[in-house]
Amino acid sequence: MTPQDLVIRVLPASGGWLALAALALPDGSPVRGAAVALFLAVGPGAALVRICAPALRAHRAEGPVERHDVAFERHSDLLERLMLAVLLSVSAAVLVATVLIAARAFSGDRTLLVLTLLTTLAVLCPRLRASPAPETKPETAPEAAPETVPGARKGSAP
């Protein structure tokens, strides 16, 4: 693992710890709001998408027949990962907040702390392995079911 890979790997968790540190700033501080909002929007999901990256790469996007964009697959895959990161982050925030509400322990600081701890744990997890592509077998023509025979009515005797 190169140093650049290590930095990219720990970036979501360090964003969470930075957001926690930003809680020490005054309540109306724009830096505090930006740090917390950016982490909540992307941090936990980015750590989860990194875990699933090999499986996502196994099923690449297919470009259109007429190619106007030579990097369609790459752009499509990046957009897919970004959207997954955002949606997984929002889902994790809602799930953590719901659990804390049910436990009667909800606060914004606790939610941020739990999400930061979960993101740190996700950063430390190894990536999943991509499953090999399933082999396609030639299909034989299926026998016609009685319901698909022309002229047959449902419930009629053969």
Side-chain angles (χ1 to χ4, degrees):
M1 176 179 288
T2 65
Q4 183 181 6
D5 291 338
L6 184 63
V7 168
I8 291 172
R9 182 176 180 169
V10 300
L11 194 61
S14 60
W17 292 109
L18 181 68
L20 278 173
L23 292 178
L25 296 172
D27 286 342
S29 172
V31 174
R32 176 182 178 168
V36 171
L38 186 63
F39 171 71
L40 289 177
V42 184
L48 293 173
V49 168
R50 187 202 63 82
I51 293 173
C52 302
L56 293 172
R57 270 190 232 113
H59 304 286
R60 290 201 144 328
E62 294 180 15
V65 176
E66 295 179 9
R67 294 194 176 237
H68 299 290
D69 183 9
V70 293
F72 174 83
E73 290 87 2
R74 185 173 58 88
H75 293 155
S76 179
D77 289 339
L78 286 173
L79 182 61
E80 177 187 26
R81 287 192 193 126
L82 177 65
M83 291 307 300
L84 273 173
V86 170
L87 294 175
L88 286 173
S89 292
V90 170
S91 299
V94 168
L95 186 64
V96 167
T98 303
V99 168
L100 289 175
I101 288 170
R104 297 179 189 254
F106 177 77
S107 76
D109 297 349
R110 284 189 189 126
T111 303
L112 187 61
L113 176 64
V114 171
L115 283 170
T116 301
L117 291 173
L118 289 175
T119 302
T120 303
L121 200 70
V123 164
L124 297 175
C125 288
R127 288 184 173 189
L128 297 176
R129 295 178 192 226
S131 60
E135 293 184 25
T136 57
K137 296 179 183 177
E139 295 185 25
T140 58
E143 295 181 21
E147 296 84 22
T148 61
V149 175
R153 292 182 298 161
K154 187 175 180 178
S156 64

